[in-house]
Amino acid sequence: MKIYLSSLPIKVLDMISERMPHRKPNVLVTYYGLKDPAAYTIENREKIESLILDCGAFSLFNKGLRGEELDFAADKLFRGFKAHLTFASHLYDFIFSMDDEFGPDSFEHNLDRLHILEDAGLCVVPVVHNLTNQEINYYVSNAYPCIAIGQCQGVNREDLEVISPVVDPLYWNHRVKVHMFGMTTPNVTLHIPAYSCDSKTWLDYAFRGCVLYWNHENNNLDKTDTIYLSNSNTIKDKNLGVDYREYTHLDNFKQHIFNNYGITWSDIMGNKRQIYRMLVNCLYFLELEETINTHHKAMDIVFP
């Protein structure tokens, strides 16, 4: 499985490259808000293992636009996205089609977008938002080699009893590559034969003052520990993780980030703490990717 780091800043990419020149991250960039595509596709491409592109319509939707205002903005985004692909599609390993409707009845609208791109000679990956209607069957019957599963309203994609019956036959029966949007939960990704997934969790946690650590002394299948690096005397939100002053494996964590990446405690608590916390979280996902692939290999899950 490939784990794509969504919206990875070039500055963090440079830091990863400096510390792990042999281990390149997979990166997902979104056309919406992408100011300098060449920074990823050309200038720093040798530092990236695999580079994929999404239209970014979900970010547009999250701005709160609705009705005609949203339709106008989505159409404008689609025109720009299509124009970009006409001269730059070859610079990405794969590209997701434009899916600017996310409800369970969005199939026909998003399919129209996909056909317009295909009619322009562009190869794009369809994105589905309904696991129970005809969407997936349509793409399988038309021999699409890759399908992305986006947010599915009213469905818990992190429930193995929900997602396994969808992903398992796509891989075992049809050898379709499945990309899971916004989902890297180890209790799921360790068990499903998905080709790839992506997450912005590395950034979200860093902004909330947290770092992620794959703790081998954790007895759970998911060995992720979330450490809250509070600068105050109290934890304002218990959901942020374990306060570092109460974390019993803190010395192991410090030793791990220093011995493997040369990152010190002062780095993640000092004036540049934000960028170093992003770095630590990115490195966590690189480690997680290796763990998942080792687990998948034992299950005979192999992609060409």
Side-chain angles (χ1 to χ4, degrees):
M1 174 179 280
K2 295 179 183 294
I3 297 181
Y4 287 87
L5 301 175
S6 180
S7 305
L8 183 69
I10 295 298
K11 187 173 183 179
V12 181
L13 176 63
D14 288 341
M15 295 174 78
I16 295 174
S17 181
E18 290 171 3
R19 287 162 172 76
M20 299 179 68
H22 62 289
R23 184 68 171 86
K24 301 177 182 180
N26 301 302
V27 177
L28 181 153
V29 291
T30 57
Y31 175 75
Y32 179 74
L34 185 60
K35 297 179 180 179
D36 185 10
Y40 296 90
T41 59
I42 299 174
E43 296 165 14
N44 295 281
R45 187 61 180 86
E46 75 282 354
K47 301 174 185 176
I48 299 171
E49 180 67 25
S50 176
L51 179 66
I52 60 178
L53 178 69
D54 180 48
C55 66
F58 193 68
S59 298
L60 183 66
F61 182 81
N62 282 340
K63 288 185 67 175
L65 303 179
R66 296 296 183 269
E68 292 183 1
E69 191 177 19
L70 176 60
D71 292 341
F72 178 80
D75 287 341
K76 180 179 178 181
L77 175 63
F78 183 58
R79 291 193 298 271
F81 182 59
K82 180 172 175 286
H84 175 67
L85 295 184
T86 57
F87 67 85
S89 62
H90 66 286
L91 299 174
Y92 303 96
D93 290 283
F94 60 91
I95 300 156
F96 299 106
S97 183
M98 174 89 171
D99 61 318
D100 53 297
E101 289 191 5
F102 310 101
D105 300 319
S106 60
F107 176 42
E108 290 187 6
H109 173 84
N110 293 331
L111 183 61
D112 286 342
R113 297 283 203 200
L114 181 140
H115 283 162
I116 291 171
L117 294 173
E118 289 179 332
D119 289 344
L122 301 168
C123 182
V124 291
V125 175
V127 184
V128 303
H129 295 280
N130 191 323
L131 302 180
T132 59
N133 70 356
Q134 75 272 31
E135 284 190 74
I136 291 177
N137 289 337
Y138 173 86
Y139 294 120
V140 170
S141 63
N142 284 277
Y144 280 79
C146 184
I147 297 172
I149 298 177
Q151 298 295 328
C152 298
Q153 185 177 321
V155 174
N156 180 11
R157 297 182 305 155
E158 296 188 5
D159 185 341
L160 274 175
E161 293 185 1
V162 171
I163 202 65
S164 288
V166 176
V167 178
D168 284 359
L170 285 172
Y171 174 77
W172 296 111
N173 300 342
H174 306 288
R175 281 301 190 261
V176 171
K177 295 178 179 179
V178 175
H179 179 88
M180 299 295 301
F181 262 111
M183 194 179 78
T184 54
T185 307
N187 283 335
V188 176
T189 52
L190 282 165
H191 294 292
I192 61 173
Y195 174 75
S196 57
C197 60
D198 68 89
S199 181
K200 197 164 65 69
T201 301
W202 63 271
L203 180 61
D204 295 338
Y205 272 108
F207 276 130
R208 291 154 66 188
C210 297
V211 289
L212 301 169
Y213 172 45
W214 189 262
N215 179 13
H216 289 282
E217 295 188 19
N218 186 326
N219 293 323
N220 297 321
L221 178 65
D222 181 357
K223 300 183 183 300
T224 306
D225 286 349
T226 304
I227 309 169
Y228 179 47
L229 306 177
S230 170
N231 290 322
S232 63
N233 294 322
T234 60
I235 300 178
K236 294 180 174 62
D237 185 351
K238 288 288 185 180
N239 294 324
L240 288 176
V242 181
D243 188 285
Y244 75 90
R245 290 161 298 195
E246 301 173 2
Y247 183 55
T248 56
H249 301 284
L250 185 62
D251 287 341
N252 290 347
F253 168 72
K254 291 179 180 179
Q255 186 176 25
H256 175 75
I257 61 173
F258 181 74
N259 289 349
N260 290 286
Y261 312 118
I263 302 171
T264 67
W265 182 249
S266 296
D267 289 332
I268 62 173
M269 296 298 284
N271 292 334
K272 297 182 179 179
R273 57 184 175 272
Q274 198 78 334
I275 193 75
Y276 277 101
R277 292 173 186 182
M278 292 181 193
L279 175 62
V280 168
N281 289 341
C282 287
L283 296 171
Y284 156 85
F285 278 110
L286 291 178
E287 294 174 9
L288 177 61
E289 184 179 77
E290 291 182 351
T291 298
I292 292 173
N293 286 330
T294 298
H295 196 75
H296 280 185
K297 186 176 181 180
M299 298 167 63
D300 290 327
I301 299 172
V302 180
F303 289 95

